[in-house]
Amino acid sequence: MKRLLAVLSLTLFTALPSPALLAAEAAPILIRFSHVVGEDTPKGRGALLFRKLVDQRLAGKVHVEIYPDSKLFGDADEMAALQNNQAQLLAPSLAKFSQYNPQLQVFDLPFLFDDMAALERFQRRPVGRELLQSMKAHNIVGLGYWHNGMKQMSASKPLRLPADAAGLTFRIQASPVAEAQFAAVRASAVAMPFAEVRNALSSGRVQAAENPWTNLYSKHLDELQPVITETSHGALDYMVVANSRFWYGMPHDIRSELEAILDEVSYAVNTDAEQQNAQARAAILAAGRSQIVTLTADEREAWRQAMRPVWLRFEGQISRKLIEAAERSNHAR
Ligand code: LMR
C-alpha cells in the first residue's frame, strides 16, 4: 500500500508542470486601448508610443492592442466598455466625465484657462492630481492627463463677435457646459460622438463646430467649414483612464512598469501637442480651403464676457474653490 501511494504521488508530481513552466506559459496580460481619433493626432501618437514601449519593456508579459477612430468603441459606449473590462485603457476628453464627477466640468468652462501652460500647471498641482483619483467608485482610475490643444470655432462665416454665432447649430461633445456656453450666445448645440461630426457637417445637420487644429485637420473638417475663427475659448484635453479593478489587480511589478511607461508617454504627448497643433494649423492655411480669422483683443473680450456667466451656473456642481484654483493657474506662481 505504501509503495502504491509512493508511485501514485510520483506520477502525480511528475505530471504537473513546474511553477516556472506555468509562469513562462502564462498568456500575456491584454490591454485594449480604444480611442476615437486618428493615429496622427496627439492622442493617436501617444497610444502608439505606449504600445511601442510596452513591447520593448514588457514583451511576453503585456500585450497592447490599439483601436483608433472609434473602430472598437465610440464616445457613446467606450466608458461602459471600460467599466466592464471590454476595454482596459481609454483617453476620453475631459468633457466626457461629467456624469462620474461633475467637478471635472471645471476643464470645460469657457475662457477659464488662458492657455495650455495654465492648464498644465493646474493639472500638476495637488488639486489636479486629486481629480485623477476621483472616479474610483465608478471603477475608473485616472493615470495622467494628455493634451490636445485649444478649441477653435468653425462655421461658414467669421465669428468675430458672439452675435455672429446666434442662430447657428454647433456640434458639441456630450457636455452640459458646452451646451450652456453656446446657449449664452443664442446658438443651438447638438451633442454627438466625434465619429459623426464630419457627416453632420456635410449633411447640414449642424453648421458649426469647436475643435482643436489637429482634430480639424485629421478629419479634413476644413473641407466643410469655410471659416475657422481662432477663438481659443477652451482646451480639449484628455484623461488616460483604466478600469481600476483591472489596473490594481495586475502584479505590482508589471503595474509599476506600466505606470512608468505612461508617465514617459504623457511627457512626450504633452511636449509635442502644441507643435502638432501648430503644424495642423499651418497645413490648413496652406491647403487654402478654410480662411483663418484671428480675433482682436476687444473681440475676444466680447466672447469672454458673453460666455463668462456660464461659470456661475456651474459653480454649485464644480465648487468655487476649484474654479479659483484653476484661475490661479493662469499665473506661473
Ligand atoms: C470630441 O468628441 O470632439 C473629442 O473629444 C474627440 C477627441 O477625443 O479628441
Side-chain angles (χ1 to χ4, degrees), residues 58-283:
L58 289 167
K61 294 183 181 164
V62 178
H63 176 68
V64 177
E65 288 175 1
I66 300 173
Y67 297 91
D69 271 322
S70 310
K71 280 186 186 138
L72 186 61
F73 300 109
D75 287 313
D77 54 2
E78 65 177 8
M79 292 304 296
L82 185 84
Q83 287 171 303
N84 51 37
N85 209 27
Q86 291 168 291
Q88 290 71 35
L89 268 189
L90 308 173
S93 84
L94 293 164
K96 291 171 185 165
F97 294 110
S98 58
Q99 59 177 307
Y100 306 105
N101 177 6
Q103 287 202 306
L104 283 160
Q105 295 177 113
V106 69
F107 291 109
D108 297 316
L109 292 181
F111 296 97
L112 175 55
F113 295 103
D114 286 347
D115 49 29
M116 299 303 287
L119 175 65
E120 165 106 16
R121 277 193 290 275
F122 177 75
Q123 291 172 341
R124 279 172 179 266
R125 289 176 182 166
V127 68
R129 307 302 302 169
E130 277 162 25
L131 290 171
L132 295 173
Q133 303 295 321
S134 67
M135 296 183 283
K136 281 198 177 150
H138 297 279
N139 193 23
I140 299 166
V141 59
L143 302 169
Y145 294 105
W146 284 4
H147 300 332
N148 191 329
M150 298 302 279
K151 290 181 289 184
Q152 319 301 342
M153 289 185 207
S154 59
S156 58
K157 57 176 187 174
L159 303 177
R160 288 198 169 277
L161 291 167
D164 297 328
L168 292 177
T169 303
F170 281 77
R171 176 270 167 172
I172 55 165
Q173 305 181 72
S175 147
V177 174
E179 195 176 339
Q181 159 193 283
F182 286 117
V185 297
R186 290 183 294 114
S188 310
V190 178
M192 69 182 73
F194 186 64
E196 291 174 24
V197 180
R198 212 187 134 77
N199 278 347
L201 282 169
S202 63
S203 71
R205 187 170 161 222
V206 297
Q207 303 94 46
E210 51 165 5
N211 284 289
W213 296 108
T214 54
N215 283 4
L216 279 161
Y217 184 62
S218 60
K219 290 289 164 236
H220 309 292
L221 300 183
D222 57 323
E223 291 171 2
L224 305 166
Q225 298 272 264
V227 186
I228 304 171
T229 305
E230 202 159 12
T231 47
S232 295
H233 58 285
L236 183 81
D237 216 75
Y238 308 114
M239 190 188 287
V240 181
V241 287
N243 173 307
S244 69
R245 275 198 286 277
F246 162 79
W247 198 254
Y248 293 108
M250 275 189 285
H252 182 262
D253 56 333
I254 292 185
R255 178 161 56 85
S256 304
E257 185 60 49
L258 286 170
E259 286 170 358
I261 290 173
L262 270 174
D263 283 349
E264 212 173 308
V265 176
S266 302
Y267 180 79
V269 170
N270 294 343
T271 312
D272 290 348
E274 196 157 349
Q275 202 194 345
Q276 281 178 52
N277 273 282
Q279 282 167 354
R281 183 188 187 281

